[in-house]
Each structure stands twice: as C-alpha cells, then as structure tokens.
Amino acid sequence: MKKNSLIWFLIAWTNSLVAVAQSPVNYVWWNPSQGDFSVIEGQGWSGKDIQNPYDRLPATAEKSVRKDVWNLSRNSAGLMIRFRASTDQLVVRYKVGGKQALPHMAATGVSGVDLYAGNSDGEWLWCAGKYVFGDTIRYTFANLEPNDTYHQKGREYRLYLPLYNNVQWLEIGVPKGVNVTPLPVRVDKPIVVYGTSIAQGACASRPGMAWPAILGRKLDRPLINLGFSGNGRLEKEVVDYVQQIDAKLYVLDCLPNLVATVGIQPEEIKARIIETVKTLRQKRPTTPILAVEHAGYSDGGINLTRRNLYSDANGLMQQAFAQLKQEGMNGLYLLPKSDINLDSDAMVDGTHPTDLGMQQYADAYEKRIRAILNEPIGTLSTTNAKMQTRDARNYDFETRHRDIIDRLKTKPARIVFMGNSITHFWGGEPKGPFATGDDSWKAVMEPLGVQNMGYGWDRIENVLWRVYHGELDDYSASQVVLMIGTNNLQWNTNTEIVAGLTFLVRAIKARQPTADILLIGILPRRNDEQRVAALNEMIAQATGDMNATFIQAGPVFLQPDGKLDESLFSDGLHPNAEGYRRLVAKLQTYLKPVEKPKKRK
C-alpha cells in the first residue's frame, strides 16, 4: 500500500512539473505602427503621406504609377523594425494580404519575417524562429540570451518584414514585465535602390538574406528598397518619387526588366537610363549615382539567346554611361557584370538569386559603394568600422550620436575632440550624466570652441564608424584632436593599434582636409605603464606618415619611478578633476587659438 502511494505521489509530482513547464506565457503586445515617432525603417515616406503603415510608396503614387508598380509597392520588402529588449523570448504575429508562397520561392521569404540581434561590439547575430503559417502567421523566438557581457539593459533587435507580401497588421509580444524600447529611424541618409525582382528579394529564403538587407548590415546604413518585381523599368513616374528621397547614394539596377523580351526598343532603353540620371542629378546635384549592369543568367554560358539578352542590355548601359560622362556628368559610377561575378550555382531558376547569389551581389555592391563613399575597411578589427553599445548605464551610443549630429547642424565645431570615456566625461556639450573635469573644460576648451566627441567605451574602430556616419561632414573644423586606443589594449596588439590609428587619421583627413590633426598619446593606466610607453613611441614614429602632430601627455600623470600617480585618477584610468587640470595645461599650447579679427587700416 505504501509502495503504491509513493508511486502515485511521484506521478502527481512529475505531472505538476510538466504543467508548470508548459504553462502559457503571458505576453504583452506592441504594435510598431502606433507610436509617437516612426520606427519602421526603409521607407522614403511615412505618417500621413502613406496609405498603410507598411507601404513603400506614398499614397499619391496610386494615381501616377502603373497599377502593377503600385500593387508591388504594398509589399513590405526592405522594411525593418528596430527595438531594444532584455528578454529570453519574443513572438511576432501578423497577417498578410496575398499568397504566402510562390512556385520558385519559399513562404519564409515571400511572407516570413527575419530577426537579428546585436551584441555590444556591433556584430549581428541571426535568431532562429519557429513559425506557423495560417490566417495569422506566428514566429516564436525562444532561448535568446537577453544580454551580453557589458550591460543588462537588453539587445537591439532588427526585424525584417516579408519580401513579397503586404503586411496588414503586426504585433511583437514579450513576456509580461519585459520592457520593449522602440528605436527611431536612424538619422543617416539612406541608400536608395530602384530595381527589379532581384532587388525586391527573389528568391531569398528569408527577408534578411535579400542582398539589400545584407548590404544594409554590411554598411550599417538605412536602405530603402524600391525593387518592383518585373516592373523596375526606369519609368519617369517612379523616378520622380525616387528623387524626392534625400539619399546618401542612388542605385539604379533595372536592366533585368529592360531586356529585349520586355518589348521596349533599344533606343528607348538608352534614353531612359540617360533621363533617369539627369532627373536625379537635377534634384540632387551632389548625390552619387551607381548604375548597374545586368548580372546575367546562370545558363548564359550555354544558352546563346539568353546570353544575348543581357549582353545587349549591358551594351546599352555602357553607351549611356559613356555619353553621360562625356557630357560632364559628375558623381556617376558603374557596377559592371564582371564585378558582380555570379557563379553557376547562384540562381534558383537561372534568373533569380539563391542565398548564395544574394551574398555575391551584396559583396560586389559593398566593395563598389565603399569606394564611392570613401569608407574602406581593413582586415584588422581596428580598421573595421563598428558601432558599439557597451555602456548602457551611463549613456546610449546612438542617442549621443544623434545629439552630436543635431548640435553640429546649428553649432559647427571649430575644434573637434574625438575620444572615449576619458574625453566624454571631462565636460562640454552634449552633457553626459556627469563631468569630472568640468571646471578645466569651461576654462580652456569652451572658449576655444571645442566640441566634445568622446564616447564611453569607444575603441578605434568605433571612432571610425562615427567618422563614416557624419560626425565630420558638412562643416570645416580648424583642428581635429584624437585621443583613442586605450580600450583596444585588451583586444589588440600594439601593431594593430598603430595600424588602426593610421587608418582612422586617413579617414579623418578625407573629410576634414584643411584641419590640423593633433594625436594625443594614450594616457598611462594602472599596471600597463610600460606597455603604454612603448606603444606611444610607435605611435609617435607613425605620425610622420600620418602628417599629424603627436603630443605625449602621459608624463604629467606619472611618478618619478614611471608608475601611475594615483592621486590624479579616480580608478587608475580616468583622471580626476586635478588630473584633467594637468592634462589641459599640457594641451593648451597645442590647441589652435581663436584668430583675432584683423584691424582695418
């Protein structure tokens, strides 16, 4: 009897554990289309200008573009929702209005969503979701690591929307008690792509694998996808809308829809290419334009008819490009078929790329666009531009970047001071949560017109990201002061740090060619005094090739035996108020004085 009682107890106890484990999660739901600011990235128009929250063209386009183009513009290709959350799970539920799959393209690409999570070092991690397709589509993302090493305020998530379907409504759910922080559309000018089904995303297995999405992650820039399946034909009615978007760069990739089988005469195709470029240039006189050749078909090596289709189209592009350049068209570039270089396994049906083909497209685009925008990257981590989110306690990287960009529009900097937390929490505007050396900043830096561009936890590659993303654009500084590299000591060799600084100074000079560069040696830090001293000798030697002035400020923080003077620091790394006073006294003679107005004779 006692044995049976024990068995029944164990069964009941086991069932209770299973019931607890399988108990439904109470989700709180957020609708991204409802809020005080726009969070749907990838749109050239939003708010009252569009009919539905996930449209790609404004409402006025319904009466001006062809019906096929209008209907395709309702597809959410290229749209992305950004938010931050500290959660181990989330659910996306939504409804679409069209067929959920195509004969040559999976439902996960046509109608699915795709989620990426960021880490503190600016890398993007793909999240696998379990999905159920029905009247309401549901994606469940579980076993997520809510945070990483640096902070406990959650990751940034980027949710890519369906490529070939229109989203009627969408909600994101997190467990009750988890906060979701919507992130506004980024301040960077977008890359605008006007193209065909290939640009729209056929035949990516999921939205994040369309080449525009891959390219957006590679360049870490907003991208507006105006790919219209079968209908990217360089039509004036569409181009008139494209030119309304203030872009970082325009991409024209429409030749796959302008081959002979479409029925448009060669003279007309050439004329459309020329007229499109001229229309964009008239409205946007300095924005680069990248014209793209037809990448070909995977059976072009054996099918002569198919080969002639793309070869003829590319010939027309080359003629139009040559004519425009002969007429003096500046800022016009070409991406030839040979640079895209798709291999024979890169297409699903001979025409539309597989995920492999999409990657090859994105690689070719990245290489060409980096050259156009002068945003090279190297093989070392110190030469690979990355944003970061390492300090969620004291400040938000993206918010500070936005605040600095806004400030520069109204108060262009005379002297720019780029650095990490040692600069950030010294003083100046935009204000941080605290300022350890505010008195010395106000006494010396403020009268000289120094703009504090220090970001806590920044490494060399993070300053490079900021240089590439507008912090030195559209104004002329007299001097750029750079004090960066201490946060690289744990991760990089001395040689890698010097290489990164050389790379960074080159990028700064490209954007501020008339500014003097003042490079401050890395300040000494507890238990690293000898390494820092050796590294600074290497940096000093490299400044000759950089055409920069080097200043060794470290000795003011050292005792006679070469060890750190702890009385000048708060933690063995960051100077205290007296430390900042010693630092500014050393710097003062190297900072460019304000020129006094010349007296009239």
Side-chain angles (χ1 to χ4, degrees):
M1 188 71 178
K2 290 182 179 180
K3 184 177 180 181
N4 289 339
S5 298
L6 178 60
I7 291 173
W8 283 112
F9 170 77
L10 290 173
I11 292 173
W13 180 68
T14 302
N15 288 339
S16 68
L17 289 179
V18 172
V20 170
Q22 296 179 347
S23 60
V25 177
N26 186 10
Y27 286 102
V28 177
W29 297 95
W30 167 54
N31 186 331
S33 68
Q34 299 173 357
D36 298 330
F37 53 84
S38 177
V39 300
I40 303 171
E41 192 167 279
Q43 292 177 310
W45 306 265
S46 59
K48 295 180 181 180
D49 292 334
I50 57 174
Q51 239 179 59
N52 296 298
Y54 301 101
D55 285 355
R56 292 185 291 150
L57 286 178
T60 55
E62 184 175 12
K63 295 181 179 179
S64 56
V65 302
R66 286 187 297 108
K67 184 177 180 180
D68 287 341
V69 174
W70 171 250
N71 289 339
L72 287 163
S73 76
R74 316 301 296 276
N75 296 163
S76 55
L79 301 191
M80 179 177 71
I81 297 163
R82 300 169 59 241
F83 60 94
R84 188 174 292 129
S86 177
T87 183
D88 63 352
Q89 58 187 294
L90 62 89
V91 174
V92 183
R93 64 185 185 188
Y94 58 101
K95 186 174 183 178
V96 296
K99 294 180 179 179
Q100 294 184 355
L102 296 172
H104 63 317
M105 186 172 175
T108 50
V110 173
S111 306
V113 295
D114 211 358
L115 187 69
Y116 283 76
N119 69 13
S120 294
D121 292 329
E123 303 289 345
W124 291 102
L125 315 172
W126 179 67
C127 305
K130 293 185 177 180
Y131 44 84
V132 177
F133 281 78
D135 184 55
T136 296
I137 302 174
R138 186 181 181 98
Y139 270 70
T140 302
F141 300 91
N143 301 315
L144 303 173
E145 187 178 18
N147 306 285
D148 61 17
T149 309
Y150 292 98
H151 64 80
Q152 301 298 311
K153 289 196 174 182
R155 300 180 183 275
E156 178 185 333
Y157 288 93
R158 295 182 178 182
L159 182 71
Y160 294 88
L161 302 188
L163 296 170
Y164 265 80
N165 225 321
N166 61 307
V167 175
Q168 297 183 342
W169 61 265
L170 180 145
E171 291 179 328
I172 297 171
V174 295
K176 188 175 181 180
V178 171
N179 290 324
V180 172
T181 303
L183 297 177
V185 172
R186 288 174 286 178
V187 296
D188 298 304
K189 289 183 179 181
I191 292 172
V192 178
V193 177
Y194 177 24
T196 68
S197 57
I198 298 169
Q200 184 169 342
C203 289
S205 63
R206 47 187 176 83
M209 284 307 299
W211 74 254
I214 300 172
L215 180 65
R217 290 194 299 277
K218 282 174 168 286
L219 299 175
D220 202 12
R221 287 194 175 277
L223 191 145
I224 294 176
N225 185 332
L226 295 178
F228 303 113
S229 187
N231 289 275
R233 299 180 183 178
L234 298 179
E235 294 167 303
K236 181 183 184 302
E237 296 80 4
V238 179
V239 175
D240 286 344
Y241 282 105
V242 174
Q243 61 151 0
Q244 292 179 13
I245 306 171
D246 187 11
K248 184 73 174 178
L249 175 141
Y250 294 108
V251 174
L252 303 176
D253 192 354
C254 290
L255 283 195
N257 287 163
L258 290 171
V259 293
T261 53
V262 177
I264 301 174
Q265 294 300 311
E267 296 79 8
E268 173 64 16
I269 294 171
K270 181 180 175 181
R272 287 191 188 189
I273 296 170
I274 293 171
E275 187 59 33
T276 296
V277 171
K278 289 183 175 180
T279 299
L280 294 176
R281 180 57 71 239
Q282 183 177 14
K283 177 74 173 180
R284 307 290 178 184
T286 61
T287 305
I289 301 169
L290 178 59
V292 184
E293 288 188 3
H294 195 310
Y297 305 122
S298 55
D299 61 341
I302 195 169
N303 188 320
L304 182 60
T305 301
R306 296 262 286 170
R307 188 192 313 161
N308 287 339
L309 287 177
Y310 63 75
S311 297
D312 291 347
N314 287 341
L316 294 171
M317 173 63 80
Q318 292 159 13
Q319 293 172 28
F321 184 83
Q323 179 177 327
L324 287 163
K325 297 301 283 186
Q326 288 169 5
E327 293 175 0
M329 182 65 66
N330 293 321
L332 176 64
Y333 304 89
L334 184 69
L335 179 60
K337 174 184 179 295
S338 57
D339 284 0
I340 302 172
N341 196 29
L342 300 181
D343 64 34
S344 59
D345 293 327
M347 295 183 183
V348 170
D349 52 5
T351 301
H352 299 95
T354 60
D355 287 351
L356 171 63
M358 290 293 184
Q359 186 68 58
Q360 291 174 353
Y361 258 106
D363 289 345
Y365 267 108
E366 181 192 17
K367 183 177 180 180
R368 192 72 181 102
I369 291 174
R370 285 197 179 280
I372 294 169
L373 300 182
N374 196 6
E375 295 181 3
I377 58 173
T379 57
L380 303 174
S381 64
T382 54
T383 60
N384 193 343
K386 295 287 184 183
M387 69 172 297
Q388 55 93 355
T389 54
R390 300 186 189 104
D391 190 350
R393 181 186 63 179
N394 291 317
Y395 84 105
D396 179 77
F397 182 98
E398 187 173 322
T399 300
R400 182 164 176 79
H401 175 63
R402 186 184 294 267
D403 290 345
I404 284 176
I405 293 293
D406 288 344
R407 180 178 171 80
L408 290 171
K409 290 176 182 177
T410 57
K411 294 184 179 181
R414 182 178 168 274
I415 298 177
V416 171
F417 199 136
M418 307 192 87
N420 48 46
S421 55
I422 297 172
T423 304
H424 185 174
F425 302 125
W426 184 349
E429 300 286 345
K431 287 188 179 297
F434 57 88
T436 305
D438 201 40
D439 61 331
S440 56
W441 185 279
K442 286 181 177 178
V444 177
M445 307 299 234
E446 198 169 285
L448 292 175
V450 181
Q451 170 65 59
N452 188 327
M453 288 191 191
Y455 286 53
W457 286 92
D458 254 16
R459 300 175 191 158
I460 295 167
E461 57 267 31
N462 307 131
V463 179
L464 183 64
W465 184 95
R466 297 196 275 117
V467 169
Y468 285 175
H469 286 257
E471 292 191 7
L472 296 179
D473 293 349
D474 302 324
Y475 66 96
S476 294
S478 294
Q479 188 176 35
V480 177
V481 182
L482 190 61
M483 187 169 68
I484 193 70
T486 192
N487 290 327
N488 290 90
L489 291 172
Q490 181 182 352
W491 307 99
N492 299 105
T493 66
N494 289 1
T495 300
E496 290 171 341
I497 291 171
V498 174
L501 287 171
T502 304
F503 203 90
L504 175 58
V505 169
R506 192 181 303 127
I508 291 171
K509 282 186 169 294
R511 288 152 181 82
Q512 293 286 340
T514 62
D516 292 338
I517 309 295
L518 176 61
L519 186 57
I520 304 172
I522 296 172
L523 299 189
R525 54 190 293 167
R526 184 186 296 150
N527 300 325
D528 271 328
E529 294 92 340
Q530 288 186 343
R531 181 185 175 188
V532 169
L535 174 56
N536 281 335
E537 287 184 9
M538 294 175 63
I539 296 171
Q541 293 172 7
T543 52
D545 294 332
M546 298 181 200
N547 192 22
T549 300
F550 177 79
I551 174 176
Q552 174 63 284
V556 304
F557 294 101
L558 297 174
Q559 301 178 103
D561 63 357
K563 290 293 185 179
L564 205 68
D565 185 344
E566 296 282 355
S567 69
L568 300 176
F569 290 84
S570 59
D571 56 3
L573 172 63
H574 299 89
N576 56 24
E578 177 57 27
Y580 280 117
R581 284 191 283 270
R582 299 271 187 101
L583 177 59
V584 82
K586 181 70 174 179
L587 295 182
Q588 194 166 2
T589 57
Y590 291 87
L591 299 174
K592 293 192 74 172
V594 178
E595 293 185 5
K596 295 180 180 179
K598 295 180 179 179
K599 293 182 179 180
R600 292 183 180 180
K601 294 182 179 180

